[in-house]
Amino acid sequence: MRVDLYIARRLRLTDSHGNRTRTSIRIATVGVVLSIVIMLITMAITSGFKHEIINKLIGFDSELTVEAQAFDVISPQPFVEDADEVMAIVSEVFPDAVVEESIKVPAMLKTDDDFSAVVLSAYGGQGNAGFIAGNIIEGAVPDAGENPNAVIISAEVAGRLGLSVGDKINTCFFASEKMRIRNFEVVAIYDSGFGEYDRVVAYAPLATLRKVAGVPDGCVQAVAVNGLPAEHITQAQETLQDALRDAYYARTLAQYLEVGSVVQSGAVYFNWLSLLDTNVVVILVLMTAISAFTLIASLIILILERVNMIGTLKMLGATNATIRRIFILLDLKVLVKGLVTGNLLALALIFIQQYTRVLPLDPESYYIAFVPVRITLLQVVALNVGAIVVATAIMVLPSMIISRLKPAAILRYE
């Protein structure tokens, strides 16, 4: 066994009588504990918040959307022809993705006293079925084809129009040159907490919206692609766009198709979420600085408390590098003790919040009714490994004070 490792293992972080831990060591340990707790909780809240918001955005809109190219802003959006061929190409590029028809039709819900403009989106697909069902607060989502005149509206729209489940509502469509009116029945009310979307998004059966929009057989308004990793949406968009472009130039497809993404349609929210990463970096740097300061202070104190031992080791032929490693390893005991305690405390708080949601949020401001938390094993391991590496590197410089201590002077030190 190496001498420095053996001596470091034998030394204790106690006072001269071995009865209790010195105040400086306790302060350093508490500093590490608080730093790791704050860093882990910050990472968990940031990851959870981004995960929840992105899931809401994807729930209202598809990760990728394939549409026909519109030549100008005045002409209506053309339909996607050869829908089966397009879906086959998308499925070939992304075998594990959910590929299905998507349609959205602007409409106006009108009562005797008020009205509300909405965008009717098709329900019943695999991409948003779980999202819709998970946000229903009244009523239930009917099976596809069970009620062609069913409509699902948000709690905000229902409150504004004074509607409840079972009420009839006149709906005016603007999907063609002529306005169409249809009598719908409110079968369910949802509340996602995402006010900007809740105010305008409603759901109706796919077959009904196809008839209203006048989508020809064999065509679709758009193709929705879901089930892709959220962090790879932009890259997937470029990959699919290249595949569809190649198919168009190879004359496999009769029209040029454009691929949009939720990152583009929800750019305001994604830019907002990207700012959270900056906040996380600032917090990590500040907490690292605090931990480093306390560890450096504890290392210097450990050195000054054991100057006689340093002199003895130098007289026995130990090099400055060996003695520095002894004290770095000794200070790493403080770090490891703080990391273990901090990890246990932070993970306990994270799991309590994850399963009980005891800390609420104002959904009007944060779009979520509770503080979301999400942490992975990789994040925990990376943070702890990074803390050990940074702390070891930082402690090298103050440990060099040992090289300035002369054996003759040390042995006379009282």
Side-chain angles (χ1 to χ4, degrees):
M1 180 181 292
R2 288 171 42 179
V3 174
D4 52 358
L5 182 59
Y6 175 79
I7 296 176
R9 291 180 60 184
R10 299 288 296 178
L11 291 176
R12 298 181 179 180
L13 299 172
T14 55
D15 60 11
S16 58
H17 302 289
N19 294 325
R20 59 182 177 83
T21 304
R22 286 190 176 275
T23 303
S24 59
I25 302 301
R26 290 200 297 270
I27 293 175
T29 304
V30 170
V32 173
V33 170
L34 291 178
S35 297
I36 199 68
V37 167
I38 293 174
M39 287 191 284
L40 279 176
I41 291 180
T42 299
M43 292 175 61
I45 292 177
T46 302
S47 297
F49 197 79
K50 293 174 67 175
H51 179 74
E52 291 291 332
I53 295 298
I54 290 175
N55 279 348
K56 287 180 182 290
L57 291 171
I58 294 174
F60 283 111
D61 199 358
S62 304
E63 293 181 351
L64 299 180
T65 304
V66 180
E67 296 178 313
Q69 184 180 29
F71 295 99
D72 56 66
V73 296
I74 300 177
S75 61
Q77 180 71 35
F79 300 119
V80 176
E81 304 171 3
D82 300 325
D84 292 339
E85 181 65 28
V86 174
M87 291 186 179
I89 294 174
V90 177
S91 297
E92 183 178 354
V93 177
F94 305 115
D96 299 327
V98 177
V99 184
E100 56 193 0
E101 179 180 356
S102 173
I103 185 169
K104 295 180 180 180
V105 180
M108 181 177 295
L109 304 179
K110 186 179 183 305
T111 63
D112 295 336
D113 302 321
D114 206 348
F115 64 90
S116 179
V118 297
V119 175
L120 286 175
S121 180
Y123 73 79
Q126 301 178 48
N128 62 1
F131 174 77
I132 298 174
N135 289 292
I136 295 296
I137 60 174
E138 186 178 351
V141 181
D143 294 333
E146 179 181 335
N147 185 353
N149 294 322
V151 65
I152 302 171
I153 61 176
S154 69
E156 185 168 347
V157 172
R160 186 190 312 153
L161 300 181
L163 296 173
S164 58
V165 173
D167 290 344
K168 304 291 184 177
I169 179 71
N170 290 323
T171 306
C172 305
F173 292 97
F174 307 97
S176 60
E177 294 181 358
K178 295 182 179 180
M179 184 178 68
R180 300 182 181 182
I181 299 178
R182 193 157 184 160
N183 193 22
F184 274 74
E185 178 187 355
V186 179
V187 297
I189 297 175
Y190 77 91
D191 184 7
S192 72
F194 218 145
E196 282 80 356
Y197 284 86
D198 285 3
R199 280 190 285 270
V200 296
V201 177
Y203 298 94
L206 174 65
T208 300
L209 294 183
R210 280 183 62 91
K211 291 180 181 179
V212 171
V215 180
D217 293 338
C219 299
V220 295
Q221 187 187 77
V223 175
V225 184
N226 288 294
L228 303 173
E231 62 273 13
H232 297 152
I233 290 178
T234 301
Q235 181 181 351
Q237 178 187 8
E238 297 174 357
T239 302
L240 182 56
Q241 185 67 76
D242 291 341
L244 294 175
R245 184 187 298 115
D246 294 341
Y248 172 72
Y249 290 136
R251 300 187 182 277
T252 303
L253 297 178
Q255 60 185 159
Y256 187 85
L257 301 175
E258 293 183 334
V259 181
S261 72
V262 68
V263 177
Q264 294 173 326
S265 61
V268 173
Y269 301 100
F270 278 91
N271 291 336
W272 173 47
L273 292 176
S274 66
L275 295 177
L276 296 179
D277 295 331
T278 303
N279 296 337
V280 172
V281 172
V282 172
I283 292 175
L284 292 181
V285 171
L286 290 176
M287 293 301 102
T288 300
I290 292 174
S291 298
F293 176 79
T294 57
L295 288 172
I296 290 173
S298 65
L299 176 61
I300 294 175
I301 292 173
L302 288 173
I303 292 173
L304 295 178
E305 288 178 343
R306 289 173 169 83
V307 289
N308 287 333
M309 186 191 77
I310 295 173
T312 302
L313 290 174
K314 285 193 172 187
M315 292 296 293
L316 293 175
T319 64
N320 288 327
T322 299
I323 301 174
R324 285 203 305 270
R325 285 197 297 270
I326 292 173
F327 283 93
I328 290 176
L329 290 171
L330 187 61
D331 209 28
L332 283 177
K333 287 184 178 181
V334 179
L335 176 63
V336 171
K337 183 178 180 181
L339 288 178
V340 171
T341 306
N343 277 275
L344 292 175
L345 180 58
L347 293 177
L349 294 175
I350 290 171
F351 288 139
I352 290 173
Q353 176 62 22
Q354 182 176 356
Y355 291 106
T356 64
R357 298 179 177 179
V358 293
L359 298 179
L361 283 178
D362 180 11
E364 291 293 330
S365 301
Y366 299 98
Y367 311 113
I368 304 175
F370 60 92
V371 177
V373 289
R374 187 170 184 263
I375 196 76
T376 63
L377 179 61
L378 180 61
Q379 289 175 313
V380 176
V381 172
L383 181 61
N384 283 270
V385 172
I388 294 175
V389 172
V390 171
T392 303
I394 290 175
M395 286 187 290
V396 170
L397 187 60
S399 68
M400 295 183 69
I401 190 176
I402 294 173
S403 62
R404 302 176 62 89
L405 301 176
K406 305 301 181 183
I410 292 174
L411 294 178
R412 292 195 301 269
Y413 177 81
E414 292 296 337

